[in-house]
């Protein structure tokens, strides 16, 4: 009987130990020298970016005894869903990637993000980029990268048909007509996930209504999302669709699968409106294609208030610490390690993109061209879906996708956006 009771006691202790594990963002596991502190970071990056994160994590572990950094990568769209579920379930990672703006602020407003103002040297980062993770003068997100939105093109195809980089909409549509006449898809688009097409609305609206259009509508200080510029932007999108400017079935093709990029690599499509992360994709997926790759900024619109010094852009990765983290100070220290000037130089030189850290000039010749565009930019417009509150951002993507699908008129789309903005932003 005593043996049975002893056995039951051991089983009970084992069950308690199994059930008593930490369910929050961080974990501490027993080790010979004491508890090991584990910080977990979720991100979407692949290739050289992911490799760089792993190198920084290894160095951080070497410099901090008893610390383990656990990295978890997921594709963009799956990541967003996974993070939202983990936040609502109270079990997020210590550190998570975002793009700043309204997407991050949504979690901030829910109390899910740590205020790391005291841990951040704000002079270390470009002000415009840091502002995208700062709300009510408190820093909740630290930017590592800075992206631009441009139109990439196949230089060999342009040379074959005697085409030049278009600077105006008329020149742009002439390029599209020539490509169609020669059975080349003018623009690759994969719009099932909606955000790729949203760049067109943002760019057209900025070129028509000027760089202050969005801020005025967003801040409710004069213009709205039903401004004539937004209606005209929708009209230009539908004009391109009716011109057969895009590949067949574009609204049903997801970006992450890479089918749009394959259209570019194979020469079936000549252009693609995308962030400069496309260069990183090329170097990972089709390095021989780089010699054919060129880019230009979005063309101007007749009578429009915008010009080509005003470009679309985004911050990302933006690193934040979850309020559920057991080791917020340690997590913030790791973010600092990710965004040192030395690491940022490696980031831009190895991944074909720009950094949000001051004083980092790319060594890569192609990336220098992006850098010059950013340096000469009079205004950089952050993506609407990353700036607006989530509900309005989703409506923006839904209505824009409907514009591309010709299932909604530009006037209807603009009215829906303004009605929701009045409900959420007033």
């Amino acid at each position: 009987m005593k043996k049975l009771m002893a056995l039951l006691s051991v089983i009970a202790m084992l069950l308690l130990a199994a059930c008593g594990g930490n369910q929050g963002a961080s974990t501490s596991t027993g080790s010979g020298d004491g508890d090991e502190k584990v910080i977990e970071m979720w991100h979407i990056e692949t290739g050289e970016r992911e490799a760089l994160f792993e190198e920084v994590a290894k160095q951080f572990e070497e410099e901090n005894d008893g610390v383990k950094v656990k990295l978890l990568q997921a594709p963009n769209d799956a990541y967003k869903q996974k993070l939202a579920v983990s936040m609502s379930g109270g079990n997020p990672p210590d550190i998570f990637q975002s793009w700043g703006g309204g997407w991050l602020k949504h979690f901030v407003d829910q109390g899910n993000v740590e205020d790391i103002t005291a841990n951040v040297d704000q002079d270390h980062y470009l002000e415009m980029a840091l502002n995208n993770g700062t709300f009510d003068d408190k820093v909740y997100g630290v930017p590592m990268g800075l992206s631009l939105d441009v139109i990439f093109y196949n230089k060999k195809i342009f040379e074959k048909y005697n085409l030049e980089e278009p600077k105006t909409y008329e020149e742009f549509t002439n390029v599209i007509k020539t490509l169609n006449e020669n059975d080349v898809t003018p623009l690759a688009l994969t719009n099932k996930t909606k955000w790729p097409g949203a760049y067109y609305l943002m760019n057209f609206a900025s070129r028509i209504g000027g760089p202050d259009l969005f801020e005025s509508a967003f801040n409710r200080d004069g213009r709205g999302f039903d401004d004539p510029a937004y209606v005209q932007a929708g009209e230009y999108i539908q004009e391109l669709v009716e011109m057969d400017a895009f590949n067949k079935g574009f609204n049903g093709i997801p970006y992450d699968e890479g089918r749009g990029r394959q259209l570019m690599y194979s020469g079936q499509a000549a252009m693609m409106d995308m962030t400069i992360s496309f260069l990183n994709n090329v170097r990972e997926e089709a390095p021989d294609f780089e010699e054919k790759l060129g880019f230009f900024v979005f063309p101007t619109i007749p009578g429009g208030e915008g010009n080509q010094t005003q470009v679309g852009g985004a911050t990302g990765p933006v690193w934040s610490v979850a309020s559920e983290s057991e080791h917020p100070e340690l997590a913030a220290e790791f973010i600092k390690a990710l965004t040192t000037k030395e690491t940022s130089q490696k980031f831009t030189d190895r991944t074909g993109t720009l950094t949000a850290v001051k004083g980092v000039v790319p060594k890569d010749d192609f990336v220098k061209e992006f850098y010059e565009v950013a340096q000469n930019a009079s205004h950089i417009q952050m993506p609407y879906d990353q700036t607006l509150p989530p509900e309005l951002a989703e409506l923006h993507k839904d209505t824009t996708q409907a514009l591309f699908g010709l299932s909604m008129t530009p006037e209807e789309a603009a009215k829906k956006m303004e009605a929701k903005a009045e409900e959420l932003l007033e």
Side-chain angles (χ1 to χ4, degrees):
M1 186 67 175
K2 289 182 179 179
K3 289 182 179 180
L4 179 59
M5 293 299 293
L7 179 61
L8 291 173
S9 177
V10 170
I11 292 173
M13 290 176 65
L14 289 172
L15 287 171
L16 282 171
C19 296
N22 184 275
Q23 299 297 310
S26 309
T27 60
S28 296
T29 59
S31 68
D33 299 322
D35 287 342
E36 181 182 66
K37 295 178 180 178
V38 179
I39 53 175
E40 187 170 297
M41 184 180 90
W42 292 2
H43 67 92
I44 67 168
E45 311 298 348
T46 59
E48 283 295 324
R49 291 188 180 202
E50 186 174 23
L52 180 59
F53 300 165
E54 290 169 351
E55 291 169 19
V56 175
K58 183 177 179 181
Q59 182 177 349
F60 192 78
E61 290 173 347
E62 292 172 354
E63 295 174 353
N64 295 270
D65 290 338
V67 172
K68 174 68 176 175
V69 180
K70 183 178 179 181
L71 305 179
L72 180 66
Q73 187 275 344
N76 179 69
D77 296 311
Y79 168 84
K80 291 177 179 178
Q81 294 175 1
K82 181 179 176 66
L83 185 65
V85 171
S86 71
M87 285 290 193
S88 61
N91 190 30
D94 298 273
I95 301 168
F96 64 94
Q97 174 178 352
S98 81
W99 302 264
W103 200 84
L104 175 60
K105 190 173 185 296
H106 173 67
F107 293 122
V108 171
D109 291 343
Q110 291 179 335
N112 291 324
V113 188
E114 189 80 3
D115 174 5
I116 54 174
T117 310
N119 307 89
V120 175
D121 176 6
Q122 298 188 38
D123 290 334
H124 182 67
Y125 305 94
L126 298 173
E127 182 180 2
M128 175 209 64
L130 187 63
N131 285 347
N132 212 34
T134 302
F135 312 105
D136 296 326
D137 297 322
K138 295 179 181 179
V139 178
Y140 292 94
V142 171
M144 184 177 190
L146 175 66
S147 188
L148 299 175
D149 168 55
V150 298
I151 298 180
F152 288 97
Y153 72 97
N154 186 320
K155 292 190 291 187
K156 297 297 182 183
I157 292 177
F158 270 47
E159 288 171 8
K160 183 176 180 179
Y161 300 113
N162 298 313
L163 300 172
E164 295 183 358
E165 295 178 2
K167 292 182 170 57
T168 67
Y169 182 71
E170 182 181 8
E171 293 171 353
F172 188 48
T173 54
N174 285 336
V175 168
I176 290 170
K177 291 172 185 175
T178 299
L179 292 168
N180 272 330
E181 289 168 359
N182 290 280
D183 297 321
V184 178
T185 298
L187 289 153
L189 177 61
T190 50
N191 202 36
K192 183 176 182 178
T193 41
K194 306 171 189 176
W195 60 264
Y199 281 117
Y200 284 91
L201 184 81
M202 179 182 81
N203 286 321
F204 274 128
S206 179
R207 289 289 184 266
I208 297 165
D212 297 328
L213 171 65
F214 174 77
E215 291 300 321
S216 181
F218 182 49
N219 294 317
R220 319 306 295 157
D221 62 2
R223 304 170 83 174
F225 288 102
D226 58 351
D227 188 272
Y230 281 116
V231 176
Q232 291 175 43
E235 291 171 349
Y236 274 105
I237 285 173
Q238 295 193 333
E239 182 173 271
L240 290 181
V241 173
E242 290 167 349
M243 288 176 61
D244 291 325
F246 307 104
N247 49 285
K248 301 296 184 184
F250 56 82
N251 258 357
I253 305 173
Y255 181 79
D256 285 343
E257 290 182 1
R259 287 165 59 187
R261 299 192 296 276
Q262 290 298 327
L263 290 174
M264 289 288 289
Y265 303 156
S266 64
Q268 295 176 72
M271 299 180 287
M272 186 181 215
D273 187 341
M274 186 46 58
T275 67
I276 59 175
S277 62
F278 183 67
L279 177 60
N280 196 33
N281 293 134
V282 169
R283 290 176 172 176
E284 289 179 22
E285 300 168 344
D288 291 342
F289 183 71
E290 185 174 343
E291 66 179 19
K292 303 177 183 178
L293 191 64
F295 75 91
F296 55 90
V297 297
F298 206 82
T300 58
I301 302 298
E305 297 178 34
N307 62 60
Q308 289 191 304
T309 69
Q310 298 146 3
V311 294
T315 52
V318 173
W319 302 117
S320 297
V321 177
S323 56
E324 291 286 336
S325 173
E326 287 188 0
H327 309 295
E329 293 291 329
L330 194 61
E333 283 300 311
F334 184 62
I335 288 176
K336 288 170 67 175
L338 283 167
T339 57
T340 64
K341 190 170 182 179
E342 178 184 5
T343 301
S344 298
Q345 188 71 58
K346 292 178 182 177
F347 178 79
T348 190
D349 291 337
R350 287 169 52 180
T351 69
T353 191
L354 304 176
T355 177
V357 172
K358 289 180 179 177
V360 178
V361 181
K363 296 176 183 176
D364 184 287
D365 287 339
F366 205 130
V367 183
K368 278 183 180 177
E369 295 182 43
F370 298 145
Y371 180 77
E372 289 171 5
V373 171
Q375 290 296 301
N376 294 323
S378 60
H379 181 265
I380 297 181
Q381 176 61 59
M382 297 297 170
Y384 291 8
D385 63 309
Q386 294 172 16
T387 307
L388 296 167
E391 189 176 350
L392 188 56
E394 283 303 310
L395 181 64
H396 156 64
K397 291 189 291 185
D398 288 343
T399 53
T400 303
Q401 188 186 52
L403 288 171
F404 275 97
L406 304 181
S407 61
M408 185 179 291
T409 68
E411 291 83 5
E412 288 171 339
K415 286 179 180 178
K416 281 180 177 290
M417 279 295 293
E418 178 60 17
K420 183 60 69 173
E422 289 178 356
E423 176 187 328
L424 297 176
L425 299 177
E426 293 291 357

